[in-house]
Amino acid sequence: MKTSNSGTSRATLPAPRVLVVDDHAPARESMCDILRQAGHEVDAAVGASQALARMKTESYDVVLTDLQMPGMSGLEFLRQIRQRDHGPQVILVTGYASVSTAVEAMRDGAFDYIEKPFDAEQLEGLVARAIQQAGLIDQRATISGPASMSASMVGSSEVMQRLRGRVAQVARSQETVLICGESGTGKELVARAVHAASPRSAAPLVSLNCPVLSAQLMESELFGHERGAFTGADAPRTGRFELADHGTILLDEITEIEPHLQAKLLRVLQERSFERVGSSATLHVDVRVLATTNRDLLAEVAAGRFREDLYYRLAVLPLAVPPLRERRDDVPELVDHFRNRAAERLQVEPCEFTRAALDLLVHYDWPGNVRELENIVTRASVLSGGAPVSADELQPWLLRTPEHGPAAAALPVGLSLHEMERKLIESTLERFGGHREKTAKALGIGIRTLSGKLKTYGYAPRTKNFASAA
């Protein structure tokens, strides 16, 4: 397949920006080094006054500041930042003797504090959570406009044209949308397309991945909580419904919400009102709800695992996303799209596929759907070395799954998914000389995800400790 200029490239969001403020040079430089390796754009200041001067011309997602500094203290620095509209999240670095002051700072609006000594992973994790919260509030990744819809939904087949037409129809409405489809079909992209084409496109699209949270955390994430509402609730938290006010909320894989929360969710859909955990004050919001599921919701209702009344509230406007095996005509276009995206990340020429290789991809049944295809094309882009990818090279990478038909069953047994993933990550890491940020960017994953994968493979984590006196 020849290189094409028709591939759609995805805009790359800028790296999160962090400002490190500490008068102790070794500690300041160590924190900057760790955060740069984690993929952040990092600036430094020796004190609060210098930091405030820098913030007049630069914007940051997170400020990491020592609590005890000569001149202006970290607490006073925090109060200066809190006077700004849409200011950054603030993390305080403190010693044991100053923990009580740090807790006071939490009441004044600090995101969190970290106590010395701490290691690299603690610091990375806390900054990552602060950046996530900053992103939820700023909504920098909100997509808008019809171009976003066409860019996210690749494919010219008849079924995709029908789906685009249905998306355009439901987008104009304010009603709840239930998006159904197998894992890997692109349900979240369809949801984003609905939001992008809707009258709410200029407002936030706030999403929640339901399967990753416990019941207690789920309730807090949905509705927020007050300080002291439960163990560990050291500061008030704004929930996703509140953040999405006048915009859209996406509940991804909604069947994972437990029954008692389903009842609370039903009330929000009916009345557009709720209470934060630990509060009796009722909040009212104007939010459009989009939900996705990879299960048969009617079967879940019949089994007693999902409320029937909630199902009917969600399925006002249903959208069915077809599996890739039902739109094989789109495979060449998707291959072109993914190879161009991979080439942009890897900074190489797009890889080519022989005609036999492309035919193999078209006739494969894709049990993992579009997500599996993207994985295969990315792997080929990393490992091809510039030579056209043949069908013989592709076959060991395709799953042998007889239940998905003869095309898949005829393929030889290859590596397991875990082994293929590890091989891809290790090859990419080697290609970039061990540079984790470049490796994560090339693979299209987050630096924290990459670090977690490497840890499971036995790669030694970086552990820099900081002295309690700085």
Side-chain angles (χ1 to χ4, degrees):
M1 186 168 65
K2 299 297 183 183
T3 302
S4 169
N5 294 325
S6 62
T8 304
S9 62
R10 181 173 59 183
T12 302
L13 293 175
R17 302 199 68 204
V18 182
L19 177 62
V20 176
V21 186
D22 197 317
D23 63 300
H24 189 252
R28 184 177 65 246
E29 291 168 4
S30 293
M31 288 187 284
C32 288
D33 177 60
I34 287 171
L35 294 173
R36 287 190 182 107
Q37 289 189 53
H40 308 313
E41 184 179 334
V42 183
D43 290 334
V46 298
S49 297
Q50 186 183 85
L52 288 170
R54 183 180 286 274
M55 291 172 68
K56 289 180 180 179
T57 57
E58 302 286 345
S59 62
Y60 298 95
D61 299 284
V62 175
V63 170
L64 183 70
T65 179
D66 193 28
L67 188 58
Q68 302 294 337
M69 295 184 294
M72 187 185 301
S73 70
L75 193 57
E76 178 57 30
F77 180 35
L78 166 67
R79 289 166 180 156
Q80 293 277 341
I81 292 175
R82 289 287 73 119
Q83 294 175 12
R84 298 165 174 259
D85 292 332
H86 309 295
Q89 299 293 309
V90 179
I91 298 173
L92 295 165
V93 180
T94 180
Y96 174 78
S98 303
V99 167
S100 60
T101 308
V103 173
E104 179 186 351
M106 298 279 289
R107 290 194 289 265
D108 285 344
F111 175 77
D112 209 337
Y113 67 92
I114 187 167
E115 186 180 346
K116 304 172 186 176
F118 53 85
D119 61 34
E121 290 198 351
Q122 286 178 290
L123 181 64
E124 286 182 10
L126 184 55
V127 170
R129 291 195 296 274
I131 287 168
Q132 181 185 39
Q133 182 70 6
L136 285 172
I137 294 172
D138 292 341
Q139 294 302 327
R140 294 184 178 184
T142 298
I143 60 174
S144 61
S148 297
M149 180 175 74
S150 61
S152 65
M153 297 173 62
V154 176
S156 304
S157 64
E158 184 178 344
V159 292
M160 283 303 291
Q161 290 180 36
R162 286 200 302 269
L163 179 59
R164 284 196 188 89
R166 180 61 65 89
V167 165
Q169 285 180 310
V170 304
R172 293 191 290 268
S173 167
Q174 300 291 339
E175 301 300 327
T176 303
V177 180
L178 179 63
I179 304 167
C180 304
E182 296 177 7
S183 294
T185 51
K187 297 186 295 295
E188 183 179 351
L189 291 179
V190 172
R192 291 183 177 277
V194 170
H195 174 74
S198 76
R200 296 174 181 257
S201 60
L205 170 62
V206 178
S207 62
L208 179 65
N209 186 12
C210 299
V212 302
L213 298 173
S214 66
Q216 184 185 62
L217 288 177
M218 174 77 72
E219 186 170 8
S220 173
E221 287 293 331
L222 285 171
F223 309 122
H225 65 247
E226 297 296 338
R227 181 174 178 269
F230 50 85
T231 303
D234 299 322
R237 183 178 184 84
T238 303
R240 303 295 173 100
F241 270 99
E242 202 171 340
L243 288 169
D245 195 20
H246 299 293
T248 306
I249 189 168
L250 168 59
L251 303 176
D252 200 17
E253 302 304 345
I254 197 167
T255 49
E256 302 303 318
I257 294 181
E258 296 197 0
H260 83 280
L261 280 181
Q262 292 178 22
K264 293 189 175 184
L265 182 58
L266 177 64
R267 181 196 167 198
V268 179
L269 293 178
Q270 291 173 330
E271 303 174 11
R272 295 297 191 265
S273 64
F274 59 92
E275 290 80 38
R276 287 182 175 182
V277 180
S279 172
S280 59
T282 299
L283 302 175
H284 298 272
V285 290
D286 173 18
V287 175
R288 186 187 195 182
V289 177
L290 311 179
T292 73
T293 181
N294 60 9
R295 299 188 188 182
D296 182 342
L297 267 189
L298 285 176
E300 295 295 303
V301 169
R305 291 186 292 266
F306 201 81
R307 292 179 64 109
E308 185 176 12
D309 47 5
L310 179 56
Y311 167 76
Y312 287 115
R313 280 286 177 180
L314 290 170
V316 177
L317 296 173
L319 284 175
V321 184
L324 187 52
R325 61 184 175 275
E326 292 182 7
R327 56 183 189 108
R328 298 179 191 274
D329 292 348
D330 291 330
V331 169
E333 191 174 346
L334 285 162
V335 169
D336 199 43
H337 174 71
F338 290 138
R339 74 192 185 98
N340 278 293
R341 258 180 31 182
E344 185 179 349
R345 292 197 305 268
L346 295 165
Q347 298 181 340
V348 297
E349 287 296 313
C351 72
E352 295 187 10
F353 294 80
T354 65
R355 174 53 58 187
L358 192 58
D359 286 344
L360 177 64
L361 296 179
V362 169
H363 290 95
Y364 179 54
D365 269 5
W366 298 110
N369 290 298
V370 178
R371 185 183 297 138
E372 184 184 359
L373 175 60
E374 181 177 15
N375 182 287
I376 293 293
V377 175
T378 301
R379 186 179 307 134
S381 299
V382 172
L383 302 178
S384 67
V389 180
S390 69
D392 289 341
E393 290 175 284
L394 286 179
Q395 279 192 342
W397 298 347
L398 303 179
L399 298 177
R400 185 181 182 184
T401 52
E403 67 271 21
H404 285 92
L411 296 171
V413 177
L415 298 174
S416 70
L417 278 175
H418 178 76
E419 291 168 332
M420 288 190 289
E421 179 185 72
R422 176 169 181 166
K423 181 177 177 64
L424 176 62
I425 288 175
E426 289 178 338
S427 299
T428 311
L429 191 67
E430 182 179 355
R431 178 187 182 91
F432 289 104
H435 195 291
R436 295 190 180 195
E437 180 185 353
K438 292 181 179 178
T439 300
K441 183 178 179 182
L443 293 171
I445 61 176
I447 187 72
R448 296 289 300 170
T449 301
L450 175 64
S451 296
K453 296 287 186 184
L454 293 176
K455 182 182 289 187
T456 65
Y457 304 154
Y459 284 75
R462 292 170 287 118
T463 54
K464 289 187 180 180
N465 286 331
F466 297 87
S468 59

